[in-house]
Amino acid sequence: MLRYLRLLGVQFRASLAVAMQYRVEFVVEGLLGLFWAFWSLVPLLVLFQHRPSVAGWSFPEALVVIGWFALMKGVLEGAVNPSLQSVVEHIRKGTLDFVLLKPADAQFLVSTAKFEPWRVIDLAGALAIFGWAFHLLGRWPTPGHVAASLLLLACAAWILYSLWILVVSAAFFVVKVDNLSFLFSSIFDAARWPASVFRGAWRLVFTFVVPLALMTTYPAEALLGRLAPGRGLSALAGAAAFGWFARVVWTRSIRRYTSASS
């Protein structure tokens, strides 16, 4: 475990050194990330302009969901997308050998190959949104609610990562998965809304198939102190199940890999 933590530190420092080579771009990209975090509030402001609540969520409560969405988008585009998108190119060109021959787990190596450190600014945007939301509510979350929401954040990040591993594994079977990754990113945008907004089949899909509800709505409910313990435990079980399934699919998919020299 310590060996992999040290390796993770090395990979992150390398990404930070590359990013700091272009400091103006680093700052500009960070400011743009902050701008897009607050731009995501516009649909919410329009929706609540003439109504006090939507699907049982008031405007400040829906703001908490947007805060988690901004945070998860930062995780997706800062820590998950950069590394896993390069795996598709490795598979297509047959150069994944350079990863497989290294004395470490291949899934860990491809998952930590590259980070976008400036995405940490999304955290500042999310904290500002949380601060505004709880200022409007006139109360603040308890330490227990914060701890529960952080635990669910870890589950949400793990589910998000597992879904991306499943998408990347498809590259072993089909030549192009660019459209598939674009489709996944588009679906993820629905996570900005509370799960109760969706009805019928869409609610089932966003809860069990692509569990967007677990990524933003459940952590928001935990921070607001209204998440039932049973639903929190189901999120933990769901994260474990998605991680196990993604690992099985990855290990079986990699057996189909043929290198450029084959």
Side-chain angles (χ1 to χ4, degrees), residues 99-132:
V99 177
L100 298 177
L101 292 175
K102 292 179 180 177
D105 183 78
Q107 184 179 340
F108 178 85
L109 289 175
V110 300
S111 302
T112 60
K114 184 180 179 184
F115 296 97
E116 297 285 355
W118 56 268
R119 277 288 177 182
V120 74
I121 295 180
D122 287 335
L123 172 62
L127 291 177
I129 294 173
F130 288 147
W132 184 25

Side-chain angles (χ1 to χ4, degrees), residues 23 79 85 234:
R23 297 184 182 181
Q85 281 182 340
S234 68

Side-chain angles (χ1 to χ4, degrees), residues 94 97 257-262:
D97 314 50
Y257 172 71
T258 54
S259 68
S261 58
S262 297

